[in-house]
Structures are given as structure tokens and as C-alpha cells.
């Protein structure tokens, strides 16, 4: 007689098949084995063919792609969130606040979102944590409350200060120097500019290399036979990194020296042609590129940002009297400019030292233009250009406070107020450049035959033509020229007097 299972037994068997213990697999199934409950009923999940098992499979629910358009744009443009901290040692509280405001502008230029900024009054920065252990704990609370992921210090920190402050605040800490280097790395476009920035970054990072755990372990020593025949502990990983950085720095210096040779050749060519040179120097975002475009139509990038242009630009210009000269736009300066950058960009800044006239551009609408003037003159002194004549060009006069303009014009004896955007004062500036540029030393009057027209062309290019008259015998020329051209014109000159 056939026995049938009761309904309660069937329910128990169905429950047992769905329990986690029942879903545990005992063996792998071969494809040619028929399915049976004893073998396949307890497998863990769906079964796949061999090719499907070896293929890549998507796991649902792991994508973080956002559906909302605004959320997608924010995810793509998410900025680093930073808190600024400064130490006020000298000057007034307004000076300290201006310095921190400039640090905020630098951070925004680098692509960060500034959440907060704090200043501490101290005689000197703390040797361990820059702001002291107690204030470092307070800074950690500010970082936690604001949700920041980076702290930027308004000064150059030592390697020990960076490590100790990071240990307290538990987020990344960088200093003003690293921030400026990052901006330079973003904005450098030419081969020379990129090489100079890379050299400055390696000079900054060399004493600040750090390693943890296995990265500090020593390599095998230098045994003769190799393998087990090793002697001595060998180099640590951090020593190897430093050696490689030094090798890269040496290579970068050689490349920059080669580029400097090409720049020097161009300068010698201009000197040979007796073409005067004018260098535009000034604080970053003071309007140097705008002034260059206004004077020459160079078409250089103009942007309301710090260090928008780094690569030097040299353009040919002409004074109202017809004298040719070159106008060079140099890299912008900033207070506490890292000495690594001054050293790396020395070949570029030599444009200032080798010029015949400096147009020192200052932002007239800045809260403290005198501080900008002092910072730029400090760098000019570092590159050895203190003997070059200087004209202070107070730019953005249309947006400046009239009292500030009057104060600057009274303090700076050789100064002029202009607006590169509207063109205000540009004609007066051109006339001032014409008067300040060095003039040829010899005033000469000669009757040059028409067969020697090259001498007339050289007088227009290299000298200053006072008058020119065409006669049946030749061109009656009256001009101021250099001694070399005066010697070539001597056979056609009845008299030559030195001015």
C-alpha cells in the first residue's frame, strides 16, 4: 500500500529548502549532470553556464551616478573645502586681515571653497604647531563643525609644523608657499614656465618628504655576489626618493639654462639693434596684461584672477615720436613670494633687470596699494634691478578712491594714474615713456647720398630722427644716434657734437 506524506511534512520540507543552511553548496555541478534535488537543490543561488561564470557581471546598487542635473553639475565641480589660519605677529589687525583676505583670494584661484578664517595674535609662530597646541585643538573643532577637508596656513611652515598640525586637526594641512606653487602649476603654459614651476615644486618638496611603515624600510645592501651576499642596511625608501628628486632637479636646471641661452640671444639681438626695452612689473592682478594689450594690442589673456598669466610676453611698440621699443610683460609678484619661485623664475625676471625702464603697475583700487609697492620692490631688489629707472603706473583709476589716488601721486614722484580698461591716461603714459627712455648720445646733421639709403633706415630704427629733408644732392638728416651709427655717418657730416 502506497503511503502519502501529510501536509505538515510537505510544509516542513519546503521550509527546509529555503533556509540558509539548506542553500549551502556541497559540490560544483558539471554541465552534463542532470538536475536533481539531492545534488542541486541545496546550491547557493542561481546557476550559470561556465562561460557566464567567467564573465564580468554588474552588481546592482553600487552606482553613485546622480539623476538630478543640478546634483550632477555639483558633483563634477565639487571644490576643496578649506579653513584659513594666520598668525599676526607685526603690524595692525587690519594688515593681518588684509593678508588673510589675500590668502582667501589665492585659495579661490586654486579652486577651493573658503569656509572660515581665523587669526591668532602671537609674538612669533609656535615652533611645533604654528599656532600652539591649545589653538590647534580649537582649530580642530572649527574644522569638524564646518566640514572642511583642508587647512591653509598664511605662512611657510617647517616640515615638523606640518606634521604636528596635521596630527591635531586630522585633515590635510598646506601653507601659503604650497598654495602659490599649486596656482603656478595650473597656469603655466609654455615649456619654460612649466619647467620653472616643476623645479620650484621639487625644491619645496625635498625637505618635506614623508614615509610611513614599509616606505621607510631599507633596501638590500651592496654585496658583491648579490642575493644573500649583502653587506650593510642600504638606502631607505625616503632616501631613494630624495636622490631621485635631486637628479630630476639637476636635469631641470640644465634645461632651464638652455632656455635661458635662447632668451639671452634674443636680448643680444635687441641690444645690437639698439632697441630700448621696457618691462612691466607689478603685483598680481594689478592689470599688467591689460596695460600691455592697451599699449600694443598684444591680445594677452586678461582675467580677474591671481597669476592669470605666468609666461612672459614681449611685444614691439612705438612711441608718439616714432621711436621703436620692446614692451615685456613679466610674472606677477605677491607678498611673501616663495624664494623657490624667485630662484626658479630668475631667468624670466631678468627681463626686468635688463630693461631700460620699468613700468611698475599698482592696483589703485586695492585697500593697501603701498604694501603692493613694497612687495614688488623687494623682489626687484632680489633680482638686482634697483638701478633701472621706474615709473609707477597707478592702474584702475576709474574704480579707485580719489583720495587714494591723490595720496599715491603725492608720495610717488614719478607716477601717473591710468585705466587700462577705459583708456584714461594712456596717451599721457606714452608721452612719459617717450621722455624717460634713454636717448642716443650723439646729435648729428648729415647730407646722405641717395645711394646710401640704409643709413637713413638705420637712423629711423636705431636713433631718433629730428628732421629729414630731401635735396638734389641727397637726404639732409638731423637726428640723435648712437656712436656706432655716428661713425658710419661721419663721412657725410660737416660737424658732429656730443649731446
Amino acid at each position: 500500500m502506497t503511503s502519502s506524506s501529510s501536509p505538515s511534512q510537505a510544509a516542513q520540507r519546503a521550509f527546509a529548502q529555503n533556509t540558509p543552511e539548506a542553500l549551502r553548496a556541497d559540490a560544483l555541478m558539471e554541465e552534463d549532470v542532470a538536475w536533481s534535488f539531492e545534488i542541486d537543490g541545496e546550491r547557493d543561488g542561481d546557476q550559470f553556464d561556465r562561460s557566464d561564470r567567467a564573465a564580468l557581471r554588474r552588481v546592482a546598487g553600487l552606482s553613485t551616478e546622480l539623476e538630478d542635473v543640478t546634483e550632477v553639475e555639483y558633483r563634477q565641480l565639487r571644490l576643496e573645502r578649506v579653513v584659513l589660519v594666520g598668525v599676526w605677529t607685526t603690524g595692525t589687525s587690519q594688515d593681518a586681515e588684509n593678508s588673510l583676505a589675500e590668502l582667501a583670494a589665492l585659495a579661490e584661484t586654486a579652486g577651493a571653497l573658503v569656509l572660515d578664517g581665523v587669526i591668532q595674535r602671537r609674538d612669533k609662530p609656535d615652533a611645533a604647531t604654528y599656532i600652539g597646541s591649545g589653538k590647534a585643538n580649537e582649530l580642530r573643532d572649527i574644522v569638524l563643525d564646518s566640514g572642511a577637508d583642508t587647512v591653509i596656513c598664511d605662512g611657510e611652515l617647517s616640515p615638523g609644523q606640518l606634521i604636528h598640525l596635521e596630527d591635531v586637526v586630522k585633515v590635510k594641512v598646506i601653507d601659503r608657499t604650497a598654495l602659490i606653487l599649486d596656482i603656478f602649476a595650473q597656469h603655466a603654459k609654455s615649456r619654460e614656465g612649466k619647467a620653472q614651476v616643476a623645479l620650484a615644486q621639487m625644491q619645496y618638496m625635498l625637505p618635506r618628504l614623508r614615509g610611513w611603515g614599509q616606505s621607510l624600510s631599507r633596501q638590500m645592501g651592496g654585496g658583491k655576489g648579490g642575493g644573500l651576499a649583502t653587506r650593510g642596511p642600504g638606502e631607505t625608501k625616503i632616501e631613494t626618493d630624495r636622490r631621485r628628486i635631486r637628479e630630476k632637479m639637476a636635469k631641470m636646471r640644465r634645461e632651464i639654462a638652455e632656455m635661458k641661452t635662447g632668451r639671452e640671444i634674443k636680448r643680444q639681438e635687441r641690444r645690437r639693434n639698439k632697441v630700448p626695452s621696457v618691462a612691466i612689473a607689478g603685483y598680481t592682478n594689478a592689470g599688467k596684461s591689460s596695460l600691455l594689450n592697451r599699449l600694443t594690442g598684444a591680445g594677452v589673456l586678461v582675467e580677474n584672477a591671481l597669476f592669470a598669466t605666468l609666461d612672459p610676453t614681449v611685444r614691439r611698440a612705438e612711441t608718439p615720436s616714432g621711436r621703436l621699443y620692446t614692451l615685456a610683460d613679466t610674472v606677477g609678484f605677491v607678498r611673501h613670494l616663495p624664494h623657490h619661485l624667485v630662484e626658479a623664475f630668475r631667468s624670466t625676471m631678468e627681463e626686468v633687470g635688463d630693461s631700460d625702464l620699468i613700468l611698475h603697475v599698482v592696483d589703485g583700487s586695492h585697500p593697501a596699494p603701498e604694501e603692493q609697492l613694497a612687495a614688488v620692490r623687494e623682489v626687484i631688489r632680489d633680482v638686482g634691478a634697483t638701478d633701472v629707472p621706474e615709473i609707477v603706473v597707478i592702474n584702475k583709476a576709474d574704480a579707485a578712491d580719489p583720495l587714494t589716488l591723490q595720496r599715491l601721486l603725492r608720495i610717488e614722484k614719478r607716477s601717473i594714474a591710468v585705466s587700462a580698461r577705459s583708456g584714461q591716461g594712456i596717451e599721457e603714459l606714452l608721452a612719459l615713456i617717450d621722455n624717460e627712455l634713454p636717448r642716443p648720445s650723439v646729435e648729428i646733421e648729415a647730407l646722405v647720398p641717395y645711394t646710401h639709403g640704409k643709413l637713413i633706415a638705420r637712423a629711423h630704427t636705431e636713433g631718433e630722427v629730428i628732421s629729414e629733408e630731401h635735396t638734389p644732392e641727397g637726404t639732409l638728416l638731423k637726428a640723435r644716434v648712437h656712436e656706432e651709427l655716428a661713425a658710419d655717418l661721419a663721412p657725410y657730416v660737416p660737424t658732429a657734437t656730443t649731446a
Side-chain angles (χ1 to χ4, degrees), residues 370-403:
E370 291 87 356
E371 294 181 7
Q372 291 191 353
L373 288 168
V376 173
R377 282 169 177 161
E378 182 179 353
V379 180
I380 290 176
R381 184 171 59 252
D382 291 341
V383 298
T386 54
D387 297 333
V388 182
E390 176 190 66
I391 297 176
V392 176
V393 181
I394 308 170
N395 194 22
K396 306 181 184 180
D398 52 344
D401 183 11
L403 296 178

Side-chain angles (χ1 to χ4, degrees), residues 267-285:
R267 290 198 196 106
Q268 291 177 357
E269 183 69 16
R270 293 198 293 266
R271 293 193 198 103
R272 188 179 64 84
N273 293 329
K274 303 296 187 299
V275 179
S277 61
V278 178
I280 302 178
Y283 213 77
T284 179
N285 205 30

